[in-house]
Coordinates of all heavy atoms in Angstrom, one line a residue:
A52 N 9.4 48.9 29.5 CA 8.3 48.0 29.1 C 8.3 48.0 27.6 O 8.4 49.1 27.0 CB 7.0 48.5 29.7
R53 N 8.0 46.9 27.0 CA 7.8 46.8 25.6 C 6.7 45.9 25.2 O 6.4 44.9 26.0 CB 9.1 46.2 24.9 CG 10.3 47.2 25.1 CD 11.6 46.6 24.7 NE 11.5 46.1 23.3 CZ 12.6 45.6 22.7 NH1 13.7 45.5 23.3 NH2 12.5 45.2 21.4
Y54 N 6.1 46.1 24.1 CA 5.0 45.3 23.6 C 3.9 45.0 24.5 O 3.4 43.9 24.7 CB 5.6 44.0 23.1 CG 6.9 44.1 22.2 CD1 8.1 43.6 22.6 CD2 6.8 44.9 21.0 CE1 9.2 43.7 21.9 CE2 8.0 45.0 20.3 CZ 9.2 44.4 20.7 OH 10.3 44.6 20.0
G55 N 3.5 46.1 25.3 CA 2.3 46.0 26.1 C 2.7 45.4 27.5 O 1.8 45.1 28.3
G56 N 3.9 45.3 27.9 CA 4.3 44.8 29.2 C 4.0 45.8 30.3 O 3.6 47.0 30.0
S57 N 4.1 45.4 31.5 CA 3.8 46.3 32.7 C 4.8 47.5 32.7 O 6.0 47.3 32.5 CB 4.0 45.5 34.0 OG 3.1 44.4 34.1
Q58 N 4.2 48.6 32.9 CA 4.9 49.9 32.9 C 5.8 50.0 34.1 O 5.6 49.4 35.1 CB 4.0 51.1 32.8 CG 3.2 51.2 31.5 CD 4.2 51.4 30.3 OE1 5.0 52.2 30.3 NE2 4.0 50.5 29.3
C59 N 6.8 50.9 34.0 CA 7.8 51.1 35.1 C 7.1 51.9 36.2 O 6.2 52.7 36.0 CB 9.0 51.9 34.6 SG 10.0 51.0 33.4
G60 N 7.5 51.7 37.4 CA 7.0 52.4 38.6 C 7.8 53.7 38.7 O 8.6 54.1 37.8
P61 N 7.6 54.5 39.8 CA 8.3 55.8 39.9 C 9.8 55.5 40.0 O 10.3 54.5 40.6 CB 7.7 56.4 41.2 CG 7.2 55.2 41.9 CD 6.7 54.2 40.9
Q62 N 10.6 56.5 39.5 CA 12.0 56.4 39.6 C 12.6 57.2 40.8 O 13.8 57.1 41.1 CB 12.7 57.0 38.3 CG 12.5 56.0 37.2 CD 13.2 56.5 35.9 OE1 12.6 57.2 35.1 NE2 14.4 56.3 35.8
E63 N 11.7 58.0 41.5 CA 12.2 58.6 42.7 C 11.1 58.6 43.7 O 9.9 58.5 43.4 CB 12.7 60.1 42.4 CG 11.6 61.0 42.0 CD 12.2 62.4 41.7 OE1 13.2 62.5 41.1 OE2 11.5 63.4 42.2
E64 N 11.5 58.6 45.0 CA 10.5 58.5 46.1 C 11.0 59.5 47.1 O 12.2 59.6 47.4 CB 10.6 57.1 46.6 CG 9.5 56.8 47.6 CD 9.5 55.3 48.0 OE1 10.6 54.8 48.5 OE2 8.5 54.6 47.7
W65 N 10.1 60.3 47.7 CA 10.4 61.3 48.7 C 9.7 61.0 50.0 O 8.6 60.4 50.0 CB 9.9 62.7 48.3 CG 10.6 63.2 47.1 CD1 10.4 63.0 45.8 CD2 11.8 64.1 47.1 NE1 11.3 63.6 45.0 CE2 12.2 64.3 45.8 CE3 12.5 64.6 48.2 CZ2 13.3 65.1 45.5 CZ3 13.6 65.4 47.9 CH2 14.0 65.6 46.5
E66 N 10.3 61.3 51.2 CA 9.6 61.2 52.4 C 10.1 62.3 53.4 O 11.2 62.8 53.2 CB 9.9 59.8 53.0 CG 11.3 59.6 53.6 CD 11.4 58.2 54.3 OE1 10.5 57.4 54.2 OE2 12.5 58.0 54.9
A67 N 9.2 62.5 54.4 CA 9.6 63.5 55.4 C 10.6 62.9 56.4 O 10.7 61.6 56.5 CB 8.3 63.9 56.2
C68 N 11.5 63.7 57.0 CA 12.5 63.2 57.9 C 12.8 64.3 58.9 O 12.5 65.5 58.7 CB 13.8 62.8 57.1 SG 14.4 64.1 56.0
N69 N 13.4 63.9 60.0 CA 13.9 64.8 61.1 C 12.8 65.8 61.5 O 13.0 67.0 61.5 CB 15.2 65.5 60.7 CG 16.3 64.6 60.6 OD1 16.3 63.5 61.2 ND2 17.4 65.0 59.9
E70 N 11.6 65.2 61.8 CA 10.5 66.1 62.1 C 10.5 66.6 63.6 O 9.6 67.4 64.0 CB 9.2 65.3 61.8 CG 9.0 65.1 60.3 CD 7.8 64.2 60.0 OE1 7.5 63.2 60.7 OE2 7.1 64.6 59.0
Q71 N 11.4 66.1 64.4 CA 11.5 66.6 65.8 C 11.9 68.1 65.8 O 12.5 68.6 64.9 CB 12.6 65.8 66.6 CG 14.0 66.2 66.3 CD 14.6 65.5 65.0 OE1 13.9 64.9 64.2 NE2 15.8 65.8 64.8
A72 N 11.4 68.8 66.8 CA 11.6 70.2 67.0 C 13.1 70.5 67.1 O 13.8 69.8 67.8 CB 10.9 70.8 68.1
C73 N 13.6 71.6 66.5 CA 14.9 72.1 66.7 C 15.0 72.6 68.2 O 14.1 73.2 68.7 CB 15.3 73.2 65.8 SG 15.5 72.7 64.1
P74 N 16.1 72.4 68.8 CA 16.3 73.0 70.2 C 16.2 74.5 70.1 O 16.8 75.2 69.2 CB 17.7 72.6 70.6 CG 18.1 71.5 69.7 CD 17.3 71.7 68.4
R75 N 15.4 75.1 71.0 CA 15.3 76.6 71.1 C 15.5 76.9 72.6 O 14.8 76.5 73.5 CB 13.9 77.0 70.6 CG 13.9 78.5 70.2 CD 12.5 78.9 69.6 NE 11.5 78.9 70.6 CZ 10.4 78.1 70.7 NH1 10.3 77.2 69.7 NH2 9.6 78.2 71.6
D76 N 16.6 77.7 72.8 CA 17.0 78.0 74.2 C 16.1 79.2 74.7 O 15.6 80.0 74.0 CB 18.4 78.5 74.2 CG 19.4 77.3 73.9 OD1 19.0 76.2 73.9 OD2 20.6 77.6 73.6
C77 N 16.1 79.2 76.0 CA 15.4 80.3 76.7 C 16.1 81.6 76.3 O 17.3 81.6 76.2 CB 15.5 80.1 78.2 SG 14.8 81.5 79.2
A78 N 15.3 82.7 76.1 CA 15.9 84.0 75.8 C 15.4 85.0 76.8 O 14.2 85.1 77.0 CB 15.6 84.4 74.4
Y79 N 16.3 85.8 77.4 CA 15.9 86.8 78.3 C 16.0 88.2 77.7 O 16.8 88.5 76.8 CB 16.9 86.8 79.5 CG 16.9 85.5 80.3 CD1 17.9 84.6 80.1 CD2 15.9 85.3 81.3 CE1 17.9 83.4 80.8 CE2 16.0 84.1 82.0 CZ 17.0 83.2 81.7 OH 17.0 82.0 82.4
D80 N 15.1 89.1 78.2 CA 15.2 90.5 77.8 C 16.4 91.2 78.5 O 17.0 90.5 79.4 CB 13.9 91.2 78.2 CG 13.7 92.6 77.5 OD1 14.6 93.0 76.7 OD2 12.7 93.2 77.8
S81 N 16.8 92.4 78.2 CA 17.9 93.1 78.9 C 17.4 93.4 80.3 O 16.2 93.5 80.6 CB 18.2 94.4 78.2 OG 18.6 94.2 76.9
W82 N 18.4 93.6 81.2 CA 18.1 93.9 82.6 C 17.5 95.3 82.6 O 18.0 96.2 81.8 CB 19.4 93.9 83.4 CG 19.9 92.5 83.8 CD1 20.9 91.9 83.2 CD2 19.3 91.7 84.8 NE1 21.1 90.6 83.8 CE2 20.1 90.5 84.8 CE3 18.3 91.8 85.6 CZ2 19.8 89.4 85.6 CZ3 18.0 90.7 86.5 CH2 18.8 89.5 86.5
Q83 N 16.6 95.6 83.5 CA 16.1 96.9 83.7 C 17.1 97.7 84.5 O 18.1 97.1 85.0 CB 14.7 96.9 84.5 CG 13.6 96.2 83.7 CD 12.4 95.9 84.6 OE1 12.4 96.1 85.8 NE2 11.3 95.5 84.0
Q84 N 16.9 99.0 84.7 CA 17.8 99.8 85.5 C 17.8 99.4 86.9 O 16.8 98.9 87.4 CB 17.4 101.3 85.4 CG 17.5 101.9 84.0 CD 19.0 102.0 83.6 OE1 19.9 102.2 84.4 NE2 19.2 101.8 82.3
W85 N 18.9 99.6 87.6 CA 18.9 99.3 89.0 C 18.0 100.2 89.8 O 17.8 101.4 89.4 CB 20.4 99.5 89.6 CG 21.3 98.5 89.2 CD1 22.3 98.5 88.3 CD2 21.5 97.2 89.8 NE1 23.0 97.4 88.2 CE2 22.5 96.5 89.2 CE3 20.8 96.5 90.8 CZ2 22.9 95.2 89.5 CZ3 21.2 95.2 91.2 CH2 22.2 94.6 90.5
S86 N 17.4 99.8 90.8 CA 16.6 100.6 91.7 C 17.5 101.7 92.3 O 18.7 101.5 92.4 CB 15.8 99.8 92.7 OG 16.8 99.2 93.6
V87 N 16.9 102.8 92.8 CA 17.6 103.8 93.4 C 18.2 103.4 94.7 O 17.6 102.7 95.5 CB 16.7 105.1 93.6 CG1 17.5 106.2 94.3 CG2 16.2 105.6 92.3
C88 N 19.5 103.7 94.9 CA 20.2 103.4 96.1 C 20.2 104.6 97.0 O 20.4 105.7 96.6 CB 21.6 103.0 95.8 SG 22.4 102.1 97.1
P89 N 19.9 104.5 98.3 CA 19.9 105.7 99.2 C 21.3 106.3 99.2 O 22.3 105.6 98.9 CB 19.5 105.1 100.5 CG 19.6 103.7 100.5 CD 19.6 103.3 99.0
A90 N 21.4 107.5 99.6 CA 22.7 108.3 99.6 C 23.7 107.7 100.6 O 24.9 107.8 100.5 CB 22.4 109.7 99.9
C91 N 23.2 107.1 101.7 CA 24.1 106.5 102.7 C 23.4 105.3 103.4 O 22.2 105.1 103.2 CB 24.5 107.6 103.7 SG 23.1 108.2 104.7
G92 N 24.1 104.6 104.1 CA 23.6 103.5 104.9 C 23.8 102.2 104.2 O 24.0 102.2 103.0
N93 N 23.7 101.1 104.9 CA 23.9 99.8 104.4 C 22.5 99.4 103.7 O 21.6 99.1 104.4 CB 24.3 98.8 105.5 CG 24.7 97.5 104.9 OD1 24.8 97.4 103.7 ND2 25.0 96.6 105.8
A94 N 22.5 99.4 102.4 CA 21.2 99.1 101.7 C 21.4 98.2 100.5 O 22.6 97.9 100.2 CB 20.6 100.5 101.2
D95 N 20.4 97.7 99.9 CA 20.4 96.9 98.7 C 19.7 97.6 97.6 O 18.7 98.4 97.8 CB 19.7 95.5 99.0 CG 20.5 94.6 99.9 OD1 21.8 94.8 99.9 OD2 19.9 93.8 100.5
R96 N 20.1 97.3 96.4 CA 19.3 97.8 95.2 C 19.1 96.5 94.4 O 19.7 95.5 94.5 CB 20.1 98.8 94.4 CG 21.4 98.3 93.8 CD 22.1 99.5 93.1 NE 23.3 99.0 92.4 CZ 24.0 99.7 91.5 NH1 23.6 100.9 91.3 NH2 25.0 99.2 90.9
S97 N 18.1 96.6 93.5 CA 17.7 95.4 92.7 C 17.3 95.9 91.3 O 17.1 97.0 91.0 CB 16.5 94.7 93.4 OG 15.4 95.6 93.4
R98 N 17.2 94.8 90.5 CA 16.8 95.0 89.1 C 16.1 93.7 88.6 O 16.4 92.7 89.2 CB 17.9 95.5 88.2 CG 19.0 94.5 88.0 CD 20.1 95.0 87.1 NE 21.2 94.1 86.9 CZ 22.2 94.3 86.0 NH1 22.2 95.4 85.3 NH2 23.1 93.4 85.9
A99 N 15.4 93.8 87.5 CA 14.7 92.6 87.0 C 14.8 92.6 85.5 O 15.2 93.5 84.8 CB 13.2 92.7 87.4
R100 N 14.4 91.4 85.0 CA 14.3 91.2 83.5 C 13.2 90.2 83.2 O 12.8 89.5 84.1 CB 15.7 90.7 82.9 CG 16.1 89.4 83.4 CD 17.4 89.0 82.8 NE 18.0 87.8 83.4 CZ 19.1 87.2 83.0 NH1 19.8 87.7 82.0 NH2 19.5 86.0 83.5
Q101 N 12.8 90.2 82.0 CA 11.7 89.4 81.6 C 12.2 88.2 80.7 O 13.3 88.3 80.1 CB 10.6 90.2 80.8 CG 10.1 91.4 81.5 CD 9.2 90.9 82.7 OE1 8.4 90.0 82.5 NE2 9.3 91.6 83.8
I102 N 11.4 87.2 80.5 CA 11.7 86.1 79.5 C 11.1 86.5 78.2 O 9.9 86.8 78.1 CB 11.1 84.8 80.1 CG1 11.8 84.4 81.3 CG2 11.2 83.7 79.0 CD1 11.3 83.1 82.0
L103 N 11.9 86.6 77.2 CA 11.4 86.9 75.8 C 10.8 85.6 75.1 O 9.8 85.7 74.4 CB 12.5 87.4 75.0 CG 13.0 88.8 75.3 CD1 14.2 89.2 74.4 CD2 11.9 89.8 75.2
D104 N 11.5 84.5 75.3 CA 11.1 83.2 74.7 C 11.5 82.1 75.7 O 12.6 81.9 76.0 CB 11.9 83.1 73.4 CG 11.5 81.8 72.6 OD1 10.8 81.0 73.1 OD2 11.9 81.7 71.4
A105 N 10.4 81.4 76.1 CA 10.7 80.3 77.0 C 11.4 79.1 76.4 O 11.8 78.2 77.1 CB 9.3 79.8 77.6
G106 N 11.6 79.1 75.1 CA 12.3 78.0 74.4 C 11.4 76.8 74.4 O 10.2 76.8 74.5
N107 N 12.1 75.6 74.2 CA 11.3 74.3 74.2 C 12.1 73.3 75.0 O 13.2 73.6 75.4 CB 11.0 73.9 72.7 CG 12.3 73.6 71.9 OD1 13.4 73.4 72.4 ND2 12.1 73.6 70.6
S108 N 11.6 72.1 75.1 CA 12.2 71.1 76.0 C 13.5 70.6 75.4 O 14.3 70.1 76.2 CB 11.2 69.9 76.1 OG 10.9 69.4 74.9
A109 N 13.8 70.8 74.1 CA 15.0 70.4 73.6 C 16.2 71.4 73.8 O 17.3 71.0 73.6 CB 14.9 70.1 72.1
G110 N 15.8 72.6 74.2 CA 16.8 73.6 74.4 C 17.1 73.9 75.8 O 16.6 73.2 76.7
V111 N 17.9 74.9 76.1 CA 18.3 75.3 77.5 C 17.0 75.9 78.1 O 16.4 76.8 77.6 CB 19.5 76.3 77.5 CG1 19.7 76.8 78.9 CG2 20.7 75.6 76.9
Q112 N 16.7 75.4 79.3 CA 15.5 75.9 80.0 C 15.7 77.2 80.7 O 16.9 77.5 81.1 CB 15.0 74.8 81.0 CG 14.7 73.5 80.4 CD 13.6 73.5 79.4 OE1 12.5 73.8 79.8 NE2 13.9 73.3 78.2
C113 N 14.7 77.9 80.9 CA 14.8 79.2 81.6 C 15.0 79.0 83.1 O 14.5 78.0 83.7 CB 13.5 80.0 81.5 SG 13.2 80.6 79.8
D114 N 15.9 79.8 83.7 CA 16.1 79.8 85.1 C 15.3 80.9 85.8 O 15.7 82.1 85.7 CB 17.6 80.0 85.4 CG 18.0 80.0 86.9 OD1 17.1 79.8 87.7 OD2 19.1 80.3 87.2
F115 N 14.2 80.6 86.4 CA 13.3 81.6 86.9 C 14.0 82.3 88.1 O 13.6 83.4 88.4 CB 12.0 81.0 87.3 CG 11.2 80.6 86.1 CD1 11.2 79.3 85.6 CD2 10.5 81.5 85.3 CE1 10.5 78.9 84.5 CE2 9.8 81.1 84.2 CZ 9.8 79.8 83.8
G116 N 15.0 81.7 88.7 CA 15.7 82.4 89.7 C 16.6 83.5 89.2 O 17.2 84.3 90.0
S117 N 16.8 83.6 87.9 CA 17.7 84.6 87.4 C 16.9 85.8 86.8 O 17.5 86.5 86.0 CB 18.6 84.0 86.3 OG 17.9 83.6 85.2
L118 N 15.7 86.0 87.2 CA 14.9 87.1 86.7 C 15.1 88.3 87.5 O 14.7 89.4 87.1 CB 13.4 86.7 86.6 CG 13.1 85.6 85.6 CD1 11.6 85.3 85.7 CD2 13.5 86.0 84.2
F119 N 15.6 88.2 88.8 CA 15.8 89.3 89.7 C 17.2 89.1 90.3 O 17.7 88.0 90.4 CB 14.8 89.2 90.9 CG 13.4 89.4 90.4 CD1 12.6 88.2 90.2 CD2 12.8 90.6 90.2 CE1 11.3 88.3 89.7 CE2 11.5 90.7 89.8 CZ 10.7 89.6 89.5

Side-chain angles (χ1 to χ4, degrees):
R53 294 173 56 178
Y54 313 120
S57 297
Q58 293 298 309
C59 296
Q62 288 183 263
E63 66 181 46
E64 189 173 61
W65 292 86
E66 73 176 7
C68 54
N69 292 339
E70 294 176 318
Q71 75 280 5
C73 289
R75 201 175 72 245
D76 295 342
C77 175
Y79 300 98
D80 197 359
S81 299
W82 285 104
Q83 296 172 351
Q84 293 292 328
W85 285 103
S86 61
V87 176
C88 198
C91 64
N93 193 2
D95 289 335
R96 65 181 185 169
S97 62
R98 64 182 182 172
R100 64 182 175 176
Q101 302 291 320
I102 294 174
L103 292 177
D104 184 347
N107 63 19
S108 61
V111 175
Q112 301 298 296
C113 293
D114 176 8
F115 291 97
S117 69
L118 296 177
F119 299 94

